[in-house]
Amino acid sequence: MTAPSVLSIPVRLLRPWRTAALWTACAHVAVDGVVAVLGALAVTWFAVALVLVPIGLGIPLVIAARWTLYGLAAFERNRFAATGGRDIPPATPPDLSGPVIQSARRLITDRTLWRHIGYFVLLVPVSAVTLGGLLIAWSFPLALLLMQVYWARRPAGEIVVGPLALGGVGAAIAVTVLTLALGAVLVPRVMRLLLALDIALADALLLPSPHAVLTQRVEHLQRTRAATIEAAEAERRRIERDLHDGAQQRLVALSIMLGRISARLKKSGDLETRALAEEAKRNANEAITELRNLTRGLHPPVLTDRGLDAALSAVAAQCPIPVEVDVRVTPRPSITVESITYFVVTEALTNVAKHSRAERARVAITRTGDRLTATITDDGVGGADPACGSGLRGLTDRVAGVDGRIRIASPAGGPTVIEVEMACE
């Protein structure tokens, strides 16, 4: 193993000075004091605003201070990404829309806000340490380098460092070389330690808490699930339009053409061929009926055009038992909620007709604020159990897809009551 050359030692000492990490760390630490002062002012502003809340003057000040703290925290995240080499995910502020009291409660209980406050409070002593370390790390070597000027101006031609008195040019050169070596070794390490202290504080308080991460994850899953459901409903509507405007219209045209052919064959007296044409026409009409039922199961056009009241009234008219429909939904919810409500009611009425032996049923749909409630009641024999059939399980799955709730009460002897509640998007 060969020993390292003498020239390689200065090269290794100067390597940290040739990289941008040292200078970006210095720039980062140098700004700590400014951010600490701004953060302390914002925290003081927030505290004063909280004191003024009981007399009604502090609410707008609290909101403004909260936005200021979030803005400073966002600046810190960008600063760490630019000069600290640390990517810190952004925090999502709470929604303050709605009643003032609820917004104030969400603001006061915002854990991320209090973590930001803790960060800026602790940044004051931390910035004092980092700025002090920055000044010492740079000023001490620079001060020793000025020893030559000090030596040249002393009448005795010597350097006095505390109790030591060094004389001669050799001593001055030795001090200079030692100072350069110490500076080359210590300054990068000191700046790396100071930056690590800053990063540790940011990781502790600027990183989203596990609770915030979980909340954001749940919100993301809710958004993606809602988008998936909306895409599925849009695809249902597209298929329904394609079938209605394409295949169904062609079958109708075919049925009309077969009718004309049958009429001509009747005049010509070709009864056997006319019978075949009539059979083909009947098959075409049956296909049209099946296709209409299929498109109605995908997404009935009347639901889009006229809403739940008209669509469910048409379903009730086809039910083998009398069904009373009462729809009070103003304003109309989203097409996704309307579609889910329509299919839930349709499936429930199908189950009533097949299994309940009921004499009548009732459907009531109301909207209260941002909640829609659908209640399906029948006077049948009861005993409906979601665990024993796919129909009721299908209702539960549909409603759960939009974070809705379904309650089924069906004691033996009846009546059966199905209540569905979901948010109006």
Side-chain angles (χ1 to χ4, degrees), residues 70-83:
Y70 266 94
L72 284 175
F75 172 79
E76 281 291 82
R77 291 182 175 90
N78 294 330
R79 185 166 74 99
F80 274 98
T83 60

Side-chain angles (χ1 to χ4, degrees), residues 89-92 111-112 115 206-221:
T92 302
R111 299 184 181 184
T112 302
R115 288 169 66 88
L206 285 186
L207 277 175
S209 65
H211 178 271
V213 171
L214 181 60
T215 301
Q216 293 175 7
R217 178 63 176 165
V218 170
E219 291 175 352
H220 172 72
L221 291 176

Side-chain angles (χ1 to χ4, degrees), residues 158-352:
E158 62 182 10
I159 298 175
V160 179
V161 181
L164 300 176
L166 306 174
V169 178
I173 295 175
V175 170
T176 302
V177 173
L178 181 61
T179 301
L180 289 174
L182 287 175
V185 173
L186 294 179
V187 170
R189 286 168 170 76
V190 170
M191 297 312 303
R192 191 158 55 242
L193 289 175
L194 296 178
L195 181 61
L197 178 60
D198 257 5
I199 292 176
L201 178 62
D203 286 346
L205 294 174
L206 285 186
L207 277 175
S209 65
H211 178 271
V213 171
L214 181 60
T215 301
Q216 293 175 7
R217 178 63 176 165
V218 170
E219 291 175 352
H220 172 72
L221 291 176
Q222 288 176 337
R223 288 193 300 269
T224 55
R225 183 177 60 181
T228 302
I229 293 173
E230 179 60 33
E233 292 298 331
E235 184 66 12
R236 285 174 178 269
R237 295 193 295 272
R238 185 192 66 79
I239 294 173
E240 181 274 326
R241 286 194 304 269
D242 291 346
L243 291 176
H244 181 272
D245 298 336
Q248 184 173 324
Q249 296 301 325
R250 290 179 180 274
L251 285 174
V252 170
L254 176 62
S255 177
I256 294 174
M257 185 178 296
L258 289 172
R260 294 173 62 186
I261 292 174
S262 177
R264 291 189 180 186
L265 290 173
K266 182 178 180 181
K267 292 181 180 179
S268 66
D270 190 350
L271 299 180
E272 292 183 359
T273 307
R274 179 174 179 270
L276 293 175
E278 287 291 331
E279 180 67 20
K281 181 180 179 182
R282 282 194 298 272
N283 291 334
N285 289 336
E286 290 176 359
I288 292 172
T289 301
E290 292 178 358
L291 194 58
R292 284 174 177 169
N293 293 333
L294 176 62
T295 56
R296 189 180 297 112
L298 288 173
H299 186 87
V302 67
L303 180 62
T304 302
D305 298 336
R306 299 173 58 189
L308 279 171
D309 194 359
L312 292 179
S313 296
V315 172
Q318 297 177 356
C319 192
I321 63 173
V323 179
E324 178 187 354
V325 177
D326 182 14
V327 178
R328 301 178 185 180
V329 181
T330 305
R332 286 182 63 176
S334 68
I335 189 64
T336 300
V337 173
E338 280 192 337
S339 298
I340 292 175
T341 304
Y342 172 83
F343 287 114
V344 166
V345 173
T346 302
E347 181 66 25
L349 291 179
T350 301
N351 290 338
V352 169

